[in-house]
mmCIF file of all heavy atoms in Angstrom:
data_model
loop_
_atom_site.group_PDB
_atom_site.id
_atom_site.type_symbol
_atom_site.label_atom_id
_atom_site.label_comp_id
_atom_site.label_asym_id
_atom_site.label_seq_id
_atom_site.Cartn_x
_atom_site.Cartn_y
_atom_site.Cartn_z
ATOM 1 N N GLY W 13 23.895 -22.084 45.964
ATOM 2 C CA GLY W 13 24.788 -22.222 44.805
ATOM 3 C C GLY W 13 24.980 -20.813 44.110
ATOM 4 O O GLY W 13 25.117 -20.780 42.908
ATOM 5 N N GLY W 14 25.009 -19.741 44.919
ATOM 6 C CA GLY W 14 25.003 -18.417 44.373
ATOM 7 C C GLY W 14 26.369 -17.911 44.029
ATOM 8 O O GLY W 14 26.515 -16.718 43.594
ATOM 9 N N ALA W 15 27.424 -18.667 44.209
ATOM 10 C CA ALA W 15 28.785 -18.167 43.998
ATOM 11 C C ALA W 15 29.170 -18.050 42.508
ATOM 12 O O ALA W 15 30.112 -17.297 42.171
ATOM 13 C CB ALA W 15 29.775 -19.024 44.726
ATOM 14 N N ARG W 16 28.534 -18.843 41.654
ATOM 15 C CA ARG W 16 28.942 -18.788 40.227
ATOM 16 C C ARG W 16 27.757 -19.327 39.403
ATOM 17 O O ARG W 16 26.746 -19.782 39.928
ATOM 18 C CB ARG W 16 30.213 -19.593 40.028
ATOM 19 C CG ARG W 16 29.961 -21.094 40.172
ATOM 20 C CD ARG W 16 31.217 -21.916 39.988
ATOM 21 N NE ARG W 16 30.870 -23.324 39.857
ATOM 22 C CZ ARG W 16 31.812 -24.318 39.880
ATOM 23 N NH1 ARG W 16 33.094 -24.029 40.076
ATOM 24 N NH2 ARG W 16 31.455 -25.514 39.715
ATOM 25 N N GLY W 17 27.968 -19.259 38.074
ATOM 26 C CA GLY W 17 27.019 -19.919 37.206
ATOM 27 C C GLY W 17 25.625 -19.292 37.252
ATOM 28 O O GLY W 17 25.423 -18.121 37.335
ATOM 29 N N LEU W 18 24.591 -20.193 37.210
ATOM 30 C CA LEU W 18 23.206 -19.746 37.201
ATOM 31 C C LEU W 18 22.833 -19.047 38.460
ATOM 32 O O LEU W 18 22.005 -18.069 38.397
ATOM 33 C CB LEU W 18 22.288 -20.963 36.925
ATOM 34 C CG LEU W 18 22.561 -21.816 35.682
ATOM 35 C CD1 LEU W 18 21.441 -22.761 35.458
ATOM 36 C CD2 LEU W 18 22.693 -20.896 34.454
ATOM 37 N N GLY W 19 23.329 -19.560 39.550
ATOM 38 C CA GLY W 19 22.979 -18.896 40.908
ATOM 39 C C GLY W 19 23.549 -17.469 40.953
ATOM 40 O O GLY W 19 22.806 -16.577 41.412
ATOM 41 N N THR W 36 24.114 -18.305 49.108
ATOM 42 C CA THR W 36 24.854 -19.321 49.890
ATOM 43 C C THR W 36 25.619 -20.220 48.955
ATOM 44 O O THR W 36 25.169 -20.473 47.793
ATOM 45 C CB THR W 36 23.996 -20.106 50.837
ATOM 46 O OG1 THR W 36 23.221 -21.046 50.074
ATOM 47 C CG2 THR W 36 23.034 -19.187 51.640
ATOM 48 N N ASP W 37 26.710 -20.843 49.407
ATOM 49 C CA ASP W 37 27.521 -21.726 48.630
ATOM 50 C C ASP W 37 28.603 -22.284 49.530
ATOM 51 O O ASP W 37 28.682 -21.965 50.717
ATOM 52 C CB ASP W 37 28.133 -20.948 47.428
ATOM 53 C CG ASP W 37 28.426 -21.836 46.184
ATOM 54 O OD1 ASP W 37 29.186 -22.792 46.341
ATOM 55 O OD2 ASP W 37 27.826 -21.650 45.145
ATOM 56 N N MET W 38 29.470 -23.119 48.941
ATOM 57 C CA MET W 38 30.637 -23.584 49.637
ATOM 58 C C MET W 38 31.914 -22.991 49.086
ATOM 59 O O MET W 38 32.992 -23.123 49.626
ATOM 60 C CB MET W 38 30.738 -25.105 49.567
ATOM 61 C CG MET W 38 29.587 -25.746 50.395
ATOM 62 S SD MET W 38 29.319 -27.522 50.019
ATOM 63 C CE MET W 38 30.808 -28.200 50.686
ATOM 64 N N LEU W 39 31.785 -22.299 47.949
ATOM 65 C CA LEU W 39 32.907 -21.552 47.326
ATOM 66 C C LEU W 39 32.925 -20.143 47.924
ATOM 67 O O LEU W 39 32.443 -19.174 47.333
ATOM 68 C CB LEU W 39 32.742 -21.555 45.809
ATOM 69 C CG LEU W 39 32.675 -22.895 45.171
ATOM 70 C CD1 LEU W 39 32.417 -22.771 43.594
ATOM 71 C CD2 LEU W 39 33.956 -23.720 45.406
ATOM 72 N N GLN W 62 27.189 -22.322 53.182
ATOM 73 C CA GLN W 62 26.215 -23.380 53.405
ATOM 74 C C GLN W 62 26.504 -24.543 52.561
ATOM 75 O O GLN W 62 26.683 -24.463 51.314
ATOM 76 C CB GLN W 62 24.732 -22.908 53.069
ATOM 77 C CG GLN W 62 23.662 -23.951 53.359
ATOM 78 C CD GLN W 62 22.316 -23.531 52.841
ATOM 79 O OE1 GLN W 62 22.110 -22.671 51.995
ATOM 80 N NE2 GLN W 62 21.260 -24.156 53.396
ATOM 81 N N ASP W 63 26.450 -25.719 53.207
ATOM 82 C CA ASP W 63 26.468 -27.027 52.485
ATOM 83 C C ASP W 63 24.961 -27.409 52.476
ATOM 84 O O ASP W 63 24.444 -27.793 53.511
ATOM 85 C CB ASP W 63 27.345 -28.059 53.151
ATOM 86 C CG ASP W 63 27.269 -29.426 52.466
ATOM 87 O OD1 ASP W 63 26.346 -29.600 51.545
ATOM 88 O OD2 ASP W 63 28.058 -30.318 52.836
ATOM 89 N N VAL W 64 24.351 -27.379 51.350
ATOM 90 C CA VAL W 64 22.898 -27.541 51.285
ATOM 91 C C VAL W 64 22.432 -28.994 51.640
ATOM 92 O O VAL W 64 21.217 -29.164 51.919
ATOM 93 C CB VAL W 64 22.327 -27.247 49.878
ATOM 94 C CG1 VAL W 64 22.384 -25.734 49.580
ATOM 95 C CG2 VAL W 64 22.944 -28.003 48.737
ATOM 96 N N THR W 65 23.352 -29.926 51.670
ATOM 97 C CA THR W 65 23.036 -31.304 52.017
ATOM 98 C C THR W 65 22.874 -31.508 53.515
ATOM 99 O O THR W 65 22.343 -32.489 53.978
ATOM 100 C CB THR W 65 24.028 -32.300 51.506
ATOM 101 O OG1 THR W 65 25.309 -32.106 52.215
ATOM 102 C CG2 THR W 65 24.275 -32.187 50.030
ATOM 103 N N ASN W 90 19.023 -23.796 43.947
ATOM 104 C CA ASN W 90 19.865 -23.868 42.659
ATOM 105 C C ASN W 90 21.114 -24.648 42.792
ATOM 106 O O ASN W 90 21.548 -25.182 41.782
ATOM 107 C CB ASN W 90 20.172 -22.398 42.287
ATOM 108 C CG ASN W 90 21.293 -22.307 41.280
ATOM 109 O OD1 ASN W 90 21.027 -22.470 40.075
ATOM 110 N ND2 ASN W 90 22.502 -22.060 41.710
ATOM 111 N N ALA W 91 21.691 -24.825 43.959
ATOM 112 C CA ALA W 91 22.972 -25.575 44.103
ATOM 113 C C ALA W 91 22.823 -26.942 43.474
ATOM 114 O O ALA W 91 21.843 -27.646 43.572
ATOM 115 C CB ALA W 91 23.343 -25.691 45.538
ATOM 116 N N GLY W 92 23.849 -27.338 42.712
ATOM 117 C CA GLY W 92 23.804 -28.617 42.065
ATOM 118 C C GLY W 92 25.171 -29.070 41.676
ATOM 119 O O GLY W 92 26.168 -28.332 41.576
ATOM 120 N N VAL W 93 25.261 -30.378 41.398
ATOM 121 C CA VAL W 93 26.519 -30.992 40.922
ATOM 122 C C VAL W 93 26.061 -31.930 39.729
ATOM 123 O O VAL W 93 24.975 -32.422 39.692
ATOM 124 C CB VAL W 93 27.207 -31.859 41.950
ATOM 125 C CG1 VAL W 93 27.848 -30.904 43.016
ATOM 126 C CG2 VAL W 93 26.330 -32.894 42.634
ATOM 127 N N VAL W 113 22.801 -33.701 46.830
ATOM 128 C CA VAL W 113 22.842 -32.210 46.475
ATOM 129 C C VAL W 113 21.640 -31.795 45.625
ATOM 130 O O VAL W 113 21.011 -30.794 45.944
ATOM 131 C CB VAL W 113 24.163 -31.910 45.781
ATOM 132 C CG1 VAL W 113 24.242 -30.410 45.405
ATOM 133 C CG2 VAL W 113 25.412 -32.337 46.555
ATOM 134 N N ASN W 114 21.408 -32.566 44.649
ATOM 135 C CA ASN W 114 20.365 -32.114 43.591
ATOM 136 C C ASN W 114 18.969 -32.391 44.012
ATOM 137 O O ASN W 114 18.034 -31.674 43.520
ATOM 138 C CB ASN W 114 20.635 -32.767 42.290
ATOM 139 C CG ASN W 114 21.983 -32.400 41.645
ATOM 140 O OD1 ASN W 114 22.762 -31.606 42.236
ATOM 141 N ND2 ASN W 114 22.291 -32.964 40.503
ATOM 142 N N ILE W 142 15.538 -25.564 40.808
ATOM 143 C CA ILE W 142 16.194 -25.716 39.497
ATOM 144 C C ILE W 142 16.370 -27.183 39.241
ATOM 145 O O ILE W 142 17.169 -27.870 39.800
ATOM 146 C CB ILE W 142 17.563 -24.981 39.527
ATOM 147 C CG1 ILE W 142 17.387 -23.521 39.953
ATOM 148 C CG2 ILE W 142 18.156 -25.037 38.133
ATOM 149 C CD1 ILE W 142 16.424 -22.670 39.166
ATOM 150 N N SER W 143 15.505 -27.666 38.310
ATOM 151 C CA SER W 143 15.682 -29.002 37.720
ATOM 152 C C SER W 143 16.554 -28.857 36.469
ATOM 153 O O SER W 143 17.609 -28.251 36.514
ATOM 154 C CB SER W 143 14.325 -29.591 37.441
ATOM 155 O OG SER W 143 14.449 -30.833 36.857
ATOM 156 N N SER W 144 16.136 -29.442 35.347
ATOM 157 C CA SER W 144 16.940 -29.460 34.160
ATOM 158 C C SER W 144 16.098 -30.123 33.042
ATOM 159 O O SER W 144 15.112 -30.773 33.318
ATOM 160 C CB SER W 144 18.202 -30.349 34.426
ATOM 161 O OG SER W 144 18.868 -30.726 33.255
ATOM 162 N N VAL W 145 16.549 -29.988 31.778
ATOM 163 C CA VAL W 145 15.965 -30.852 30.740
ATOM 164 C C VAL W 145 16.200 -32.322 31.115
ATOM 165 O O VAL W 145 15.404 -33.148 30.692
ATOM 166 C CB VAL W 145 16.519 -30.561 29.326
ATOM 167 C CG1 VAL W 145 16.041 -29.215 28.816
ATOM 168 C CG2 VAL W 145 18.048 -30.688 29.268
ATOM 169 N N TYR W 157 22.355 -37.933 37.644
ATOM 170 C CA TYR W 157 21.788 -36.601 37.452
ATOM 171 C C TYR W 157 20.415 -36.605 36.978
ATOM 172 O O TYR W 157 19.476 -35.899 37.396
ATOM 173 C CB TYR W 157 22.763 -35.869 36.461
ATOM 174 C CG TYR W 157 22.491 -34.358 36.298
ATOM 175 C CD1 TYR W 157 23.004 -33.439 37.246
ATOM 176 C CD2 TYR W 157 21.792 -33.884 35.231
ATOM 177 C CE1 TYR W 157 22.807 -32.054 37.078
ATOM 178 C CE2 TYR W 157 21.605 -32.494 35.065
ATOM 179 C CZ TYR W 157 22.134 -31.622 35.994
ATOM 180 O OH TYR W 157 21.873 -30.259 35.835
ATOM 181 N N LYS W 161 17.216 -34.978 38.951
ATOM 182 C CA LYS W 161 16.435 -33.840 38.384
ATOM 183 C C LYS W 161 14.984 -34.240 38.124
ATOM 184 O O LYS W 161 14.073 -33.421 38.220
ATOM 185 C CB LYS W 161 17.125 -33.337 37.114
ATOM 186 C CG LYS W 161 18.491 -32.712 37.425
ATOM 187 C CD LYS W 161 18.393 -31.482 38.281
ATOM 188 C CE LYS W 161 19.695 -30.736 38.434
ATOM 189 N NZ LYS W 161 19.595 -29.549 39.337
ATOM 190 N N PRO W 189 16.380 -25.895 32.626
ATOM 191 C CA PRO W 189 17.343 -25.372 31.638
ATOM 192 C C PRO W 189 17.918 -26.490 30.834
ATOM 193 O O PRO W 189 18.143 -27.582 31.359
ATOM 194 C CB PRO W 189 18.460 -24.664 32.446
ATOM 195 C CG PRO W 189 17.946 -24.659 33.878
ATOM 196 C CD PRO W 189 16.948 -25.782 34.007
ATOM 197 N N SER W 190 18.275 -26.206 29.559
ATOM 198 C CA SER W 190 19.148 -27.111 28.851
ATOM 199 C C SER W 190 20.615 -26.598 29.036
ATOM 200 O O SER W 190 20.857 -25.665 29.801
ATOM 201 C CB SER W 190 18.787 -27.151 27.348
ATOM 202 O OG SER W 190 19.590 -28.117 26.719
ATOM 203 N N TYR W 191 21.571 -27.194 28.295
ATOM 204 C CA TYR W 191 22.996 -26.914 28.447
ATOM 205 C C TYR W 191 23.226 -25.396 28.372
ATOM 206 O O TYR W 191 23.016 -24.803 27.333
ATOM 207 C CB TYR W 191 23.757 -27.658 27.417
ATOM 208 C CG TYR W 191 23.765 -29.152 27.590
ATOM 209 C CD1 TYR W 191 22.749 -29.930 27.018
ATOM 210 C CD2 TYR W 191 24.722 -29.792 28.312
ATOM 211 C CE1 TYR W 191 22.692 -31.262 27.217
ATOM 212 C CE2 TYR W 191 24.738 -31.205 28.442
ATOM 213 C CZ TYR W 191 23.639 -31.921 27.882
ATOM 214 O OH TYR W 191 23.711 -33.283 28.033
ATOM 215 N N THR W 192 23.717 -24.814 29.444
ATOM 216 C CA THR W 192 23.980 -23.446 29.609
ATOM 217 C C THR W 192 25.461 -23.240 29.954
ATOM 218 O O THR W 192 25.961 -24.025 30.772
ATOM 219 C CB THR W 192 23.030 -22.809 30.634
ATOM 220 O OG1 THR W 192 21.725 -23.122 30.262
ATOM 221 C CG2 THR W 192 23.224 -21.300 30.730
ATOM 222 N N TRP W 193 26.105 -22.282 29.333
ATOM 223 C CA TRP W 193 27.577 -22.226 29.426
ATOM 224 C C TRP W 193 28.020 -21.629 30.721
ATOM 225 O O TRP W 193 28.210 -20.442 30.977
ATOM 226 C CB TRP W 193 28.079 -21.360 28.238
ATOM 227 C CG TRP W 193 29.520 -21.608 27.948
ATOM 228 C CD1 TRP W 193 30.572 -20.782 28.023
ATOM 229 C CD2 TRP W 193 30.078 -22.891 27.436
ATOM 230 N NE1 TRP W 193 31.688 -21.392 27.588
ATOM 231 C CE2 TRP W 193 31.435 -22.717 27.268
ATOM 232 C CE3 TRP W 193 29.487 -24.161 27.188
ATOM 233 C CZ2 TRP W 193 32.312 -23.747 26.857
ATOM 234 C CZ3 TRP W 193 30.374 -25.173 26.763
ATOM 235 C CH2 TRP W 193 31.773 -24.968 26.593
ATOM 236 N N THR W 194 28.129 -22.527 31.728
ATOM 237 C CA THR W 194 28.575 -22.253 33.102
ATOM 238 C C THR W 194 29.734 -23.172 33.417
ATOM 239 O O THR W 194 30.051 -24.099 32.619
ATOM 240 C CB THR W 194 27.437 -22.518 34.101
ATOM 241 O OG1 THR W 194 27.199 -23.952 34.129
ATOM 242 C CG2 THR W 194 26.139 -21.802 33.810
ATOM 243 N N PRO W 195 30.407 -22.937 34.551
ATOM 244 C CA PRO W 195 31.552 -23.872 34.905
ATOM 245 C C PRO W 195 31.106 -25.348 34.860
ATOM 246 O O PRO W 195 31.842 -26.227 34.513
ATOM 247 C CB PRO W 195 31.911 -23.437 36.336
ATOM 248 C CG PRO W 195 31.609 -21.962 36.299
ATOM 249 C CD PRO W 195 30.319 -21.811 35.502
ATOM 250 N N MET W 196 29.835 -25.621 35.239
ATOM 251 C CA MET W 196 29.398 -27.037 35.228
ATOM 252 C C MET W 196 29.473 -27.631 33.835
ATOM 253 O O MET W 196 29.915 -28.749 33.584
ATOM 254 C CB MET W 196 27.900 -27.157 35.751
ATOM 255 C CG MET W 196 27.383 -28.525 35.781
ATOM 256 S SD MET W 196 25.663 -28.628 36.307
ATOM 257 C CE MET W 196 25.877 -28.528 38.084
ATOM 258 N N VAL W 197 28.951 -26.897 32.882
ATOM 259 C CA VAL W 197 28.954 -27.423 31.459
ATOM 260 C C VAL W 197 30.304 -27.310 30.830
ATOM 261 O O VAL W 197 30.689 -28.233 30.020
ATOM 262 C CB VAL W 197 27.841 -26.707 30.694
ATOM 263 C CG1 VAL W 197 27.915 -26.949 29.196
ATOM 264 C CG2 VAL W 197 26.448 -27.164 31.189
HETATM 265 N N1 NAD Z 301 24.482 -25.211 33.307
HETATM 266 C C1 NAD Z 301 23.517 -25.976 32.806
HETATM 267 O O1 NAD Z 301 23.544 -26.333 31.570
HETATM 268 C C2 NAD Z 301 22.392 -26.489 33.611
HETATM 269 C C3 NAD Z 301 21.366 -27.066 32.930
HETATM 270 C C4 NAD Z 301 20.246 -27.558 33.658
HETATM 271 C C5 NAD Z 301 20.267 -27.443 35.062
HETATM 272 N N2 NAD Z 301 21.251 -26.855 35.667
HETATM 273 C C6 NAD Z 301 21.261 -26.756 37.153
HETATM 274 O O2 NAD Z 301 21.440 -25.432 37.474
HETATM 275 C C7 NAD Z 301 22.023 -25.374 38.761
HETATM 276 C C8 NAD Z 301 23.204 -24.468 38.709
HETATM 277 O O3 NAD Z 301 24.157 -25.041 37.801
HETATM 278 P P1 NAD Z 301 25.353 -24.243 37.186
HETATM 279 O O4 NAD Z 301 25.433 -24.563 35.737
HETATM 280 O O5 NAD Z 301 25.339 -22.833 37.590
HETATM 281 O O6 NAD Z 301 26.575 -25.026 37.915
HETATM 282 P P2 NAD Z 301 27.920 -24.484 38.616
HETATM 283 O O7 NAD Z 301 28.739 -25.740 38.913
HETATM 284 O O8 NAD Z 301 28.538 -23.457 37.796
HETATM 285 O O9 NAD Z 301 27.367 -23.884 39.959
HETATM 286 C C9 NAD Z 301 26.778 -24.690 40.935
HETATM 287 C C10 NAD Z 301 27.022 -24.121 42.304
HETATM 288 O O10 NAD Z 301 26.499 -24.976 43.295
HETATM 289 C C11 NAD Z 301 27.360 -25.053 44.351
HETATM 290 N N3 NAD Z 301 27.217 -26.272 45.123
HETATM 291 C C12 NAD Z 301 27.483 -27.568 44.738
HETATM 292 N N4 NAD Z 301 27.272 -28.411 45.764
HETATM 293 C C13 NAD Z 301 26.894 -27.593 46.851
HETATM 294 C C14 NAD Z 301 26.512 -27.931 48.179
HETATM 295 N N5 NAD Z 301 26.573 -29.212 48.664
HETATM 296 N N6 NAD Z 301 26.166 -26.892 49.007
HETATM 297 C C15 NAD Z 301 26.172 -25.691 48.500
HETATM 298 N N7 NAD Z 301 26.479 -25.279 47.245
HETATM 299 C C16 NAD Z 301 26.870 -26.291 46.451
HETATM 300 C C17 NAD Z 301 28.720 -25.003 43.682
HETATM 301 O O11 NAD Z 301 29.803 -24.660 44.561
HETATM 302 C C18 NAD Z 301 28.535 -23.953 42.580
HETATM 303 O O12 NAD Z 301 28.840 -22.662 43.014
HETATM 304 C C19 NAD Z 301 22.346 -26.737 39.187
HETATM 305 O O13 NAD Z 301 21.290 -27.351 39.979
HETATM 306 C C20 NAD Z 301 22.395 -27.463 37.837
HETATM 307 O O14 NAD Z 301 22.096 -28.844 37.951
HETATM 308 C C21 NAD Z 301 22.375 -26.365 35.019
#
Side-chain angles (χ1 to χ4, degrees):
R16 70 182 193 190
L18 303 187
T36 74
D37 207 298
M38 293 165 68
L39 302 175
Q62 180 186 23
D63 177 350
V64 290
T65 65
N90 164 82
V93 290
V113 179
N114 294 0
I142 307 301
S143 177
S144 166
V145 289
Y157 188 81
K161 294 299 186 178
S190 186
Y191 293 86
T192 303
W193 204 241
T194 66
M196 178 181 281
V197 167

